[in-house]
């Protein structure tokens, strides 16, 4: 029996020894999570991936976690490999508040399209450009060629291990809320309940084998609050200002191996005890993983008939050496990080100065855009008023034209000529027909053809003159709108200067009154006494405070406003504003703005249509005027008296028709111009909205950069402390290797078939537990759980 006990204890020492290795990484876990935000993990924090997926170097909590990763399995090159990290956000007593799962699918096989299964809700893809197609039973096919997949989501599912946190003060139970601010001997107990198991046949019986989780719980204690720190099973590291405490436990492992507590005590809980003053506590971090047990390879060097532990001990020694080397590299990396953080501070200072200037510039642009939008609105209102009378004007002119046509018909009828009713559209054809029916009508047609040809030859020149006239009108309207905006902006700036001068003058008066009442001295005598050191600092502070209080009173503010208003109405100030407006309007920038707006408006389809219509009207008008002129009329003098009268009648009607067509073109142009200015007004309104958004965004960006700048000193301090802590961890691991692991190697030998069977069953169950939120058939993977409790702070 004694021999059996000895063999069992030595075999268990191997399991415990492998788990104790986690103490070194436990300190790193606490340091890593101390740098995380106190809120729920962000996308970057949840996206756990080693350096290389998100960058290189120790520059985030994710990179620190990569140093404590206990995964030993190499991903298969035949299929994808899924690494899952489950973040459990818990309350002060361990109550689960939220579970966030981060998955990293390694496409080690370089396949096109990866089939995945996940029960997660609200999935967000963390790597840009990756997409998937949903299938049945929560199946997703990722559309990828050879890239890795990163995503996260939430889940409501029973955890494999429940954690309960209890608090005691001087041996008595107490709630965390009651404990805050108390002093005495405090104990924090972490109890773990293993919920994950499989039924396994052992020696012909079905037995419950729990998944062998190693629980690593860490806390960072402020030495100003805690002293005489103890941990039931774990490691303590003190850097002078803080104490890192890491404890470990193996819930369900004793049941798996069938070992009672009187033979070997395998911890299911962790207790941290300390003397405290004005108790408060930051978050605690607990890591649950099966990877430490997975490192035990029973098939490599053992058999049921002969338990040879030498292979496992060699693995243990090698792993410990790698851990010691890794801790040294971690310290070197922290030194590099500290140096780079100092360079970051200098860069952020320059960024902050630039952000301030950019914020001020965007605000000025937004103010100018508002004034341009307001001026364009006034122009638009005036054009709408003008356009509203166009219909009445066109209708009145048409009635006059129709009356003239009716009179002309009466005259022709009285002369014995038969003509149909004439309208605005057909009168020319009707009268031309009458003329052609009279003698010498060919003379008129020849004259008309000649005149028409001559006028058409001048059409390009007529168009250029029309274009210049339209451009002049557009330039007048644009210049007026810009000048209104410039005037409003300069008036506001001048008012600010006047208000500052008025406020300074009023402050001098208030200061003289306060000083006289407080000291009986004049302000000049008081200033000389201050300069001579005769007035103590407290008196100066009291007087300055009284002056500031008077300046914020309603009466003083009203006085400043009234004086400012009076100054703004003076001829001198008004002349200053006028001069500055003229100076601004004469600047190249404003002239360029006006020119740009004029060119833009002239290119619009509305303006081009207006130019085309006015050109056509001018051509018709020129033909009519020429036909009515002396030269043409002289040629027609030889025509018969009847033809001459008809021709003269038509010439008169042509003159009015020219006027009528010009009127129609004018009113149509007013309508189109109104529509164009409406579009321009909409554009200036949209511009104002855009500049407002830019100004708001720049203000937020500037505030964020300044916040980041203010937080950099704390970052430097934190990285410095983290570097010092990693040095202590490295030294501690070296000591642990020499005094713990090497001693353990010397003690372990022997064989035990019964224990080996249960140990084999335990490692088999451990290696099967590869996922929590779902995994596709044929896909390998690993999973770890990270519990973070809420801070206990005032």
């Amino acid at each position: 029996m004694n021999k059996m006990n000895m063999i069992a204890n030595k075999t268990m020492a191997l399991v415990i020894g492998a788990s104790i290795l986690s103490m070194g990484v436990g300190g790193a876990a606490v340091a890593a999570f101390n740098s995380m935000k106190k809120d729920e993990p962000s996308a970057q924090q949840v996206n756990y991936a080693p350096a290389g997926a998100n960058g290189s170097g120790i520059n985030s909590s994710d990179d620190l976690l990569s140093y404590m990763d206990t995964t030993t399995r190499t991903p298969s090159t035949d299929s994808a490999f899924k690494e899952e990290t489950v973040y459990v956000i818990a309350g002060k007593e361990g109550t689960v508040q939220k579970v966030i799962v981060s998955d990293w699918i390694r496409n080690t096989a370089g396949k096109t399209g990866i089939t995945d299964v996940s029960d997660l809700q609200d999935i967000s893809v963390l790597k840009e450009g990756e997409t998937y197609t949903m299938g049945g039973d929560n199946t997703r096919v990722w559309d990828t060629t050879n890239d890795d997949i990163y995503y996260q989501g939430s889940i409501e599912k029973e955890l494999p291990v429940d954690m309960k946190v209890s608090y005691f003060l001087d041996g008595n139970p107490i709630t965390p809320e009651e404990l805050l601010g108390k002093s005495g001997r405090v104990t924090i107990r972490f109890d773990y309940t293993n919920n994950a198991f499989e039924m396994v046949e052992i020696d012909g019986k079905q037995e419950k084998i729990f998944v062998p989780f190693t629980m690593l719980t860490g806390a960072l204690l402020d030495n100003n609050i805690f002293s005489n720190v103890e941990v039931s099973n774990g490691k303590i590291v003190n850097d002078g200002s803080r104490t890192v405490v890491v404890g470990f436990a193996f819930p369900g492992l004793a049941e798996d191996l069938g070992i009672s507590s009187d033979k070997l005590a395998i911890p299911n809980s962790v207790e941290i005890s300390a003397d405290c003053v004005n108790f408060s506590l930051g978050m605690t971090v607990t890591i649950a993983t099966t990877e430490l047990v997975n490192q035990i390879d029973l098939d490599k060097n053992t058999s049921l008939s002969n338990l040879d532990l030498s292979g496992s001990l060699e693995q243990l020694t090698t792993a410990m050496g790698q851990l010691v080397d890794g801790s040294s590299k971690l310290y070197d990396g922290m030194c590099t990080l500290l140096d780079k953080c100092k360079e970051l501070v200098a860069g952020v200072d320059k960024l902050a100065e630039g952000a301030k200037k950019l914020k001020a510039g965007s605000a000025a642009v937004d103010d100018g855009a508002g004034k341009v939008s307001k001026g364009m609105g006034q122009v638009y209102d005036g054009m709408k008023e003008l356009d509203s009378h166009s219909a009445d004007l066109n209708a009145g002119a048409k009635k006059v034209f129709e009356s003239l046509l009716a009179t002309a018909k009466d005259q022709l009828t009285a002369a014995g000529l038969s003509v149909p009713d004439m309208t605005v559209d057909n009168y020319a054809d009707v009268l031309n027909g009458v003329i052609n029916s009279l003698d010498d009508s060919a003379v008129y047609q020849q004259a008309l053809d000649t005149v028409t040809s001559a006028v058409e030859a001048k059409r390009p020149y007529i168009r250029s003159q029309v274009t210049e006239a339209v451009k002049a009108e557009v330039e007048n309207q644009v210049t007026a709108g810009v000048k209104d905006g410039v005037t409003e902006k300069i008036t506001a700036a001048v008012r600010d200067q006047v208000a500052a001068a008025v406020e300074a003058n009023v402050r001098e008066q208030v200061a003289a009154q306060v000083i006289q009442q407080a000291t009986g001295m004049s302000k000049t005598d008081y200033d000389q006494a201050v300069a001579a050191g005769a007035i103590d600092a407290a008196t100066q502070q009291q007087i300055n405070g009284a002056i500031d209080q008077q300046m914020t009173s309603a009466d003083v503010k009203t006085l400043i406003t009234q004086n400012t208003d009076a100054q703004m109405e003076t001829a001198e100030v008004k002349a200053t504003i006028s001069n500055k407006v003229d100076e601004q309007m004469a600047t190249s920038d404003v002239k360029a703005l006006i020119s740009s707006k004029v060119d833009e408006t002239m290119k619009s389809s509305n303006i081009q249509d207006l130019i085309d219509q006015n050109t056509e009207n001018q051509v018709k008008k020129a033909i009519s005027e020429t036909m009515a002129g002396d030269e043409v009329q002289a040629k027609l003098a030889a025509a018969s008296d009847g033809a001459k009268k008809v021709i003269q009648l038509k010439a008169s009607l042509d003159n009015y028709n020219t006027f009528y067509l010009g009127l129609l073109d004018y009113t149509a142009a007013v309508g189109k111009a109104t529509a164009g200015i409406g579009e321009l007004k909409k554009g200036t309104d949209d511009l104002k909205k855009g500049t407002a958004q830019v100004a708001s965004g720049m203000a937020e960006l500037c505030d964020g950069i300044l916040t980041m700048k203010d937080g950099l000193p704390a970052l430097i301090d934190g990285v410095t402390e983290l570097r010092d802590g990693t040095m202590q961890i490295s030294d501690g691991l070296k000591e642990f290797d020499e005094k713990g692991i090497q001693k353990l190697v010397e003690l372990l030998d022997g064989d035990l078939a019964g224990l080996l069977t249960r140990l084999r069953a335990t490692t088999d169950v451990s290696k099967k537990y590869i996922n929590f939120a779902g995994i596709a058939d044929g896909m390998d993977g690993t999973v770890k759980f990270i519990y973070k409790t809420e801070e206990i702070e005032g």
Side-chain angles (χ1 to χ4, degrees):
M1 176 62 74
N2 291 335
K3 177 65 173 176
M4 293 288 289
N5 289 339
M6 180 185 69
I7 294 175
N9 287 339
K10 290 183 178 181
T11 304
M12 274 306 303
L14 174 62
V15 179
I16 301 303
S19 300
I20 291 176
L21 291 177
S22 64
M23 293 171 59
V25 285
V30 174
F33 273 84
N34 187 50
S35 67
M36 293 178 66
K37 293 182 178 178
K38 296 183 179 180
D39 298 325
E40 296 178 5
S42 65
Q44 289 85 354
Q45 293 165 337
V46 174
N47 178 19
Y48 166 56
N54 293 332
S56 61
I58 310 173
N59 53 21
S60 71
S61 59
D62 292 340
D63 295 314
L64 290 174
L65 283 175
S66 69
Y67 281 89
M68 58 171 286
D69 188 18
T70 56
T71 301
T72 59
R73 279 181 285 172
T74 302
S76 171
T77 57
D78 296 329
S79 63
F81 187 87
K82 190 172 188 178
E83 286 192 17
E84 187 169 89
T85 304
V86 182
Y87 295 88
V88 182
I89 311 302
K92 302 179 181 67
E93 296 177 297
T95 304
V96 177
Q97 297 175 343
K98 189 172 185 179
V99 178
I100 301 175
V101 180
S102 175
D103 283 317
W104 172 19
I105 301 178
R106 298 189 184 188
N107 190 8
T108 53
K111 293 185 176 181
T112 300
I114 297 177
T115 300
D116 179 33
V117 175
S118 177
D119 296 332
L120 295 182
Q121 301 172 356
D122 302 323
I123 288 180
S124 60
V125 180
L126 303 179
K127 185 176 180 181
E128 188 173 343
E130 300 294 346
T131 60
Y132 61 81
T133 302
M134 286 297 299
D137 297 327
N138 293 328
T139 299
R140 291 172 175 80
V141 178
W142 292 92
D143 305 321
T144 184
T145 53
N146 56 8
D147 292 334
D148 290 358
I149 305 298
Y150 301 88
Y151 67 89
Q152 73 174 36
S154 60
I155 191 171
E156 294 182 4
K157 181 179 179 181
E158 182 184 47
L159 295 171
V161 180
D162 291 334
M163 182 180 72
K164 178 183 178 183
V165 186
S166 306
Y167 303 83
F168 303 85
L169 181 62
D170 297 329
N172 298 314
I174 189 172
T175 66
E177 291 78 12
E178 294 171 339
L179 183 56
L180 179 62
K182 298 291 194 304
S183 300
R185 185 68 179 177
V186 66
T187 298
I188 307 172
R189 179 181 175 89
F190 298 82
D191 291 292
Y192 314 99
T193 302
N194 197 331
N195 302 319
F197 63 88
E198 286 187 22
M199 299 304 296
V200 179
E201 182 176 341
I202 299 177
D203 297 333
K205 295 190 303 180
Q206 291 290 323
E207 294 196 26
K208 181 185 293 186
I209 298 298
F210 292 95
V211 178
F213 285 99
T214 300
M215 308 299 295
L216 305 173
T217 292
L220 192 62
L221 306 181
D222 187 346
N223 288 354
N224 293 324
I225 299 175
F226 299 94
S227 61
N228 300 322
V229 181
E230 296 177 354
V231 62
S232 58
N233 27 274
K235 181 73 173 180
I236 297 174
V237 178
N238 191 329
D239 67 357
S241 62
R242 296 179 300 181
T243 299
V244 180
V245 184
V246 179
F248 63 92
F250 310 91
L253 183 59
E255 291 84 349
D256 289 349
L257 299 178
I259 299 176
S260 61
S261 60
D262 59 340
K263 293 180 181 179
L264 182 64
I266 302 177
N268 287 324
S269 63
V270 172
E271 282 192 2
I272 301 173
S273 300
D275 295 331
C276 72
V277 177
N278 192 18
F279 179 91
S280 65
L281 180 67
M283 69 175 180
T284 68
V285 176
T286 298
I287 301 176
T289 178
T290 62
E291 285 303 302
L292 292 174
V293 176
N294 290 346
Q295 296 180 35
I296 302 173
D297 189 356
L298 297 177
D299 293 327
K300 187 174 183 180
N301 295 305
T302 66
S303 67
L304 287 174
S305 60
N306 182 27
L307 177 58
D308 182 4
L309 299 178
S310 61
S312 296
L313 291 176
E314 182 180 351
Q315 295 176 25
L316 178 60
T317 303
T318 301
M320 190 63 206
Q322 293 174 349
L323 192 57
V324 171
D325 293 341
S327 65
S328 298
K329 293 178 181 178
L330 175 60
Y331 175 72
D332 294 339
M334 292 307 303
C335 292
T336 301
L337 175 61
L338 181 60
D339 293 337
K340 295 301 180 182
C341 283
K342 294 176 182 178
E343 297 177 7
L344 176 64
V345 170
V348 170
D349 287 341
K350 294 180 180 179
L351 180 62
E353 289 301 319
K356 290 179 182 177
K357 295 178 181 178
L358 195 56
K359 176 183 177 182
S362 62
V365 171
D366 180 50
D367 182 63
K371 293 177 173 58
V372 171
S373 177
K374 180 179 179 181
M376 191 56 65
Q378 294 173 348
V379 172
Y380 180 59
D381 291 341
M383 289 300 296
K384 285 198 299 182
E385 175 65 21
L386 185 62
D387 185 50
S388 65
H389 299 293
S390 294
D392 293 339
L393 190 60
N394 289 339
K398 185 176 182 180
K399 288 182 179 180
V400 172
F401 203 167
E402 290 173 345
S403 176
L404 292 176
L405 291 173
T407 301
K409 180 182 178 180
D410 292 342
Q411 292 176 353
L412 292 173
T413 300
L417 297 174
S418 177
V419 294
D421 292 336
M422 291 186 291
T423 66
V424 174
D425 296 325
N426 74 353
Y427 88 91
D429 293 334
V430 171
L431 293 181
N432 284 334
V434 173
I435 293 172
N436 290 333
S437 67
L438 299 175
D439 294 337
D440 300 327
S441 60
V443 176
Y444 175 81
Q445 186 60 45
Q446 182 181 4
L448 179 61
D449 293 342
T450 301
V451 170
T452 300
S453 176
V455 172
E456 285 294 338
K458 295 181 179 180
R459 180 180 286 270
Y461 172 75
I462 294 173
R463 181 179 178 84
S464 68
Q465 294 300 304
V466 169
T467 300
E468 287 299 321
V470 172
K471 183 175 182 180
E473 180 61 27
V474 170
E475 185 171 359
N476 289 338
Q477 294 178 2
V478 171
T479 300
V482 171
K483 186 172 184 179
D484 289 343
V486 170
T487 300
E488 183 175 348
K489 183 175 181 180
I490 289 178
T491 300
V494 171
R495 183 179 181 87
D496 289 342
Q497 295 175 358
V498 170
V502 170
E503 183 175 353
N505 184 45
V506 171
R507 186 178 183 89
E508 284 292 318
Q509 298 174 10
V510 169
Q513 294 175 1
V514 171
I515 292 170
Q516 178 65 34
Q517 293 173 359
T519 64
M521 303 169 63
S522 68
K523 188 174 185 302
T524 301
D525 294 340
Y526 173 77
D527 290 341
Q528 291 175 352
V530 169
I535 306 299
D536 59 84
T539 300
Q540 294 181 43
Q541 184 176 4
Q542 181 179 5
I543 290 175
N544 290 337
I547 293 172
D548 292 338
Q549 183 176 7
Q550 285 290 328
M551 289 299 295
T552 59
S553 67
D555 292 341
V556 172
K557 288 183 176 181
T558 299
L559 177 61
I560 292 173
T561 300
Q562 292 174 347
N563 289 351
T564 301
D565 292 340
Q567 285 291 321
M568 290 298 294
E569 293 300 322
T570 62
E572 180 182 358
V573 172
K574 289 184 176 180
T576 299
I577 293 173
S578 177
N579 292 336
K580 287 184 178 295
V581 169
D582 292 341
E583 292 174 0
Q584 189 67 21
M585 292 298 294
T587 62
S588 58
D589 288 343
V590 173
K591 289 182 177 180
L593 174 62
I594 294 172
S595 177
S596 174
K597 291 294 183 182
V598 170
D599 292 343
E600 180 181 355
T601 304
M602 289 298 296
K603 293 177 182 178
S604 67
S605 59
N606 291 333
I607 295 299
Q608 291 299 314
D609 290 345
L610 175 63
I611 292 173
D612 290 342
Q613 293 172 359
N614 285 354
T615 299
E616 186 63 30
N617 292 339
Q618 289 298 319
V619 168
K620 292 181 178 180
K621 181 180 178 181
I623 293 173
S624 297
E625 290 176 348
T626 304
M627 288 298 295
D630 294 339
E631 181 179 355
V632 174
Q633 292 302 314
K635 292 181 179 180
L636 299 177
S640 64
D641 291 340
K644 183 176 181 180
K645 292 179 180 180
V646 174
I647 291 172
Q648 290 174 346
L649 176 61
K650 184 176 181 298
S652 299
L653 292 175
D654 286 342
N655 287 336
Y656 188 82
N657 188 37
T658 299
F659 160 76
Y660 179 66
L661 292 175
L663 179 63
L664 293 180
D665 291 340
Y666 164 75
T667 55
V670 169
K672 291 183 178 181
T674 302
I677 293 174
E679 289 296 320
L680 187 59
K681 177 182 181 298
K682 182 178 181 300
T684 58
D685 292 342
D686 292 341
L687 174 64
K688 177 62 179 68
K689 294 177 182 178
T691 57
Q693 292 176 350
V694 170
S696 176
M698 288 309 306
E700 293 178 0
L701 174 62
C702 182
D703 294 340
I705 292 174
L706 294 178
T707 300
M708 179 174 64
K709 177 183 176 183
D710 294 339
L712 286 177
L715 173 63
I716 296 295
D717 294 341
V719 172
T720 302
E721 293 174 357
L722 193 57
R723 179 202 61 185
D724 297 339
T726 56
M727 179 181 67
Q728 293 181 354
I729 291 173
S730 178
D731 294 340
L733 286 174
K734 293 176 183 177
E735 181 181 358
F736 180 65
D737 183 35
E738 295 171 359
K739 298 181 179 180
I741 298 302
Q742 298 307 320
K743 295 293 184 181
L744 184 62
V745 171
E746 295 173 2
L747 293 174
L748 292 178
D749 62 338
D751 54 312
L752 185 60
L755 182 58
L756 174 62
T757 300
R758 301 188 70 88
L759 184 58
R760 183 184 300 279
T762 301
T763 56
D764 289 344
V765 170
S766 177
K767 292 176 182 178
K768 291 179 184 178
Y769 195 89
I770 61 174
N771 191 265
F772 175 69
I775 192 168
D777 293 338
M779 182 184 290
D780 196 8
T782 62
V783 61
K784 70 161 65 77
F785 298 80
I786 300 176
Y787 299 72
K788 188 191 85 167
T789 62
E790 184 180 1
E791 301 89 344
I792 305 175
E793 297 178 347

